[in-house]
Amino acid sequence: MTTAINPGHLQFLLTGAFWTLILSLMAFLGGGAGGFLVALGRTSPFRLLRILAAVYVQIVQGTPLLIILFLIYFGLPSLGFSISPLLAAGVSLTIYVSAYLGEIWRGCLESVPKAQWEAAECLALSRTQRLFKVILPQAIRIATPPTVGFSVQIIKNTSLTSVVGFVELTRAGQLINNSIFEPFLIYIIVASIYFCLCFPVSAFSQRLERSGAARLRALKAVSA
Amino acid sequence: MILDFTAILARWQMLLDGLTLTIQLALVTTITGFIIGTLCAVARRSHVVIAARAATIYVESIRNTPFLVQIFIVYFGLSSLGFSFSPVAVAIIALTINVSAYTAEIMRAGFDSIHPGQWEAGECLGLSRVQNYWHVALRPAIERVYSSLTSQFILLMLASSMTSQISAEELTAAANFIQSETYRPFETYIIVALIYLAISLLMRLVFWGIALLAFPRRRRLGTNL
Amino acid sequence: MSIVMLKDVKKSFDKLQVLKGVSFSVAPGEVMALIGASGSGKSTALRCIDRLELIDSGEIVVCGHRVNDPQLDLRKLRLDVGIVFQSYNLFPHLTIEENITLAPRSVKKISRAQAREIALASLAKVGLSEKAQNYPEQLSGGQQQRAAIARSLAMEPKVMLFDEVTSALDPKLTGEVLKVIEALAASGITMIMVTHEMNFARRIADKVIFMHQGYVHESGSTDILTSPRTSELREFIGDELH
Ligand SMILES: Nc1ncnc2c1ncn2[C@@H]1O[C@H](COP(=O)(O)OP(=O)(O)OP(=O)(O)O)[C@@H](O)[C@H]1O
Ligand SMILES: [Mg+2]
């Protein structure tokens, strides 16, 4: 039975898009918290922590997100933990995001000049105070454009959760396709919706990057 | 809970076949993606407005949509046009389309980082625009963005796992099949994760070796451009 | 008969008119020094001669090429003109020898062996034979500038343009580069050089052009450097001397 695409389908897709955003937000918050720990671990004065964090990053960045997702969604139940698609999706995305954001943020932490740490130390601030009062405020400025940029990757990668049956935008498209079989048209519509979600974020991050670069140039001009 | 890997390891032949295809996919599309991406970067920087505009639209539409959806569009798009390609061919086409856009963006940054004086010096020596790109700009541009390029190509290899969704029989598809036969999903995906990890480490090693060959200046002097 | 000729050349960047009607000509074998205050348009004039900038009006003819002609074969112009910049612009990823052989090989299609010979010959002229296999960053500023001169010479241009080639160098390195240029001047090649080295200009130039506010304000033999006719040139030389 084949029927044409109708407004009901469109509404279904938009509901899917809503879930895509919810998932992205979950992944960003969970992954952001994890990524913060990873970044701290990677720059920690303790060797063991540094190594552990580095190994974690290497493993996650060397494994496809799809495999992480399968491992959690199919693997954990076989070990006796039952898990819903939403939870599986949330956990896998959190793992994935934490490794990548952690690395991005580590770079930002390290790009704050060493002299800043030393200056803070000379003021007798504790390590935590140095980090939170001196280094982080500077690092956050540097980190904003790439973090916003990475959000686009998060939104796009939530599409993988369709594979385990979580009904977000891509899965919504598949379901509609199962009833009306117009795959090309439907996926073009799905892609367009993704584009509308992602492009503003990309454009925003590029603008941040440009103004950041301009600010950096201005700073250099002042200090030169 | 007792982990048992024997049933999976017994199907090593299947894993090996999947691994081979994964490596082939990564290798072929790294090359096609690099070439097409670099050409797109040149197009984006060109003064021919139509070429620049077209390249921008291509790059932005790919970079702002998920690869999984792109695979489906290529797969169903080709068949609705009356072509019937094998899943592997579709996978190669989709991966190339995808990674070229990212490569274009990286290479554009590389070309942009070449100082105007370099282009002028080449121009004054009588080099044509193409020769200027080829002899003067290309190698320093690649050298500057090399680590972004390598990361991108490793991400590409990882992304090839998604072509299992159009039944290209690569490593992830092999894993899906093995777990459905053995009912040991956890062990299967652990092993496959390790294999992917090994490939990505191997790729880093290979790219490091290529850098030694491609950038003799850096090898000899150890400095960055 | 002139080999380089500018007639009423005008050039603006946006609203700023830099060349307001510049005319001069250079005879074959002549060495011309182009002097003038910063911002007077010396670099712009040189860049127009090699068509790095398009002029708004007027005429430039170099070795018979009408530079402002849209149909001009740029390659032919560049074969006849060599230019050396203040900032060397050597290609950092190529050795000195590769820097020099690049254009002969890919523009003139000369064989590898022959290009190599040319490279070594032109390196010998600038006293850098032993640096052929080094990369630019391994050379001092003066050596890099001499290598850049050798790179231009290897194309056997009829006219050489120099734009303040020593202003990034300290006095000792300046000396070694000027010696190379002086030897070149003696070899009979046509040269136009923008320079702030008044004594050097006096010694090797046949003709001096003083640019001021977008015009050729005064020109003549090197005598005008010792006895300037206009107060602007006198003031300029006074400024340069201390
Ligand atoms: N590409 C450009 N865009 C805009 N303005 C320019 C450009 N190139 C040069 N100018 C301007 O043209 C004027 C003349 O510049 P030019 O470089 O020719 O001076 P110059 O005589 O070589 O000075 P100097 O001795 O400092 O090298 C300057 O005011 C400069 O700011
Ligand atoms: Mg100048």
Side-chain angles (χ1 to χ4, degrees), chain A residues 58-67 70-71 74-76 78-79 81 100 152-153 155-157 159-163 170 174 177 181 183-184 187-188 190-192 194-196 198-200 202-203 206, chain B residues 1-3 60-69 72-73 76-78 80 102 105 154-155 157-159 161-162 164-165 172 175-176 179 183-187 189-190 192-193 196-198 200-201 204:
Chain A
Q58 184 59 67
I59 290 178
V60 177
Q61 293 195 344
T63 313
L65 174 55
L66 198 55
I67 295 291
F70 285 161
L71 200 54
F74 298 118
L76 288 188
S78 77
L79 300 181
F81 307 97
Y100 284 89
V152 178
Q153 307 299 325
I155 299 177
K156 289 187 292 181
N157 274 320
S159 66
L160 288 193
T161 61
S162 67
V163 174
T170 304
Q174 284 168 344
N177 183 43
F181 207 72
F184 187 65
Y187 286 118
I188 288 285
V190 167
S192 312
Y194 273 113
F195 186 86
C196 294
C198 294
F199 185 72
S202 302
Q206 269 161 26
Chain B
M1 79 181 196
I2 295 155
L3 295 183
E60 290 302 334
S61 30
I62 295 300
R63 278 164 34 97
N64 288 293
T65 50
F67 179 50
L68 189 59
V69 177
F72 291 143
I73 289 177
F76 292 114
L78 284 175
S80 74
Y102 291 91
E105 203 51 13
I154 289 171
L155 282 175
M157 183 277 291
L158 297 176
S161 65
M162 286 183 232
S164 61
Q165 296 305 306
T172 301
N176 294 344
Q179 71 96 10
Y183 300 105
R184 293 245 167 231
F186 190 79
E187 292 89 332
Y189 291 121
I190 283 283
V192 167
Y196 273 111
L197 186 59
S200 64
L201 291 175
R204 277 199 193 288

Side-chain angles (χ1 to χ4, degrees), chain A residues 116-117 120 125-138:
Chain A
Q116 293 289 317
W117 282 101
L125 300 180
S126 72
R127 186 177 155 82
T128 324
Q129 285 173 322
R130 272 176 262 158
L131 185 65
F132 281 90
K133 296 230 155 88
V134 178
I135 305 303
L136 276 184
Q138 305 184 52

Side-chain angles (χ1 to χ4, degrees), chain A residues 73-89:
Chain A
Y73 186 69
F74 298 118
L76 288 188
S78 77
L79 300 181
F81 307 97
S82 73
I83 191 165
S84 72
L86 178 63
L87 190 60

Side-chain angles (χ1 to χ4, degrees), chain C residues 13-14 16-19 36-45 47 53 86 163-164 194 196 211:
Chain C
F13 294 109
D14 298 324
L16 176 73
Q17 192 170 23
V18 179
L19 304 181
S38 184
S40 57
K42 306 177 301 285
S43 300
T44 305
R47 291 169 61 83
E53 307 283 358
Q86 177 181 345
D163 190 0
E164 298 190 35
V194 174
H196 285 288
M211 290 199 41

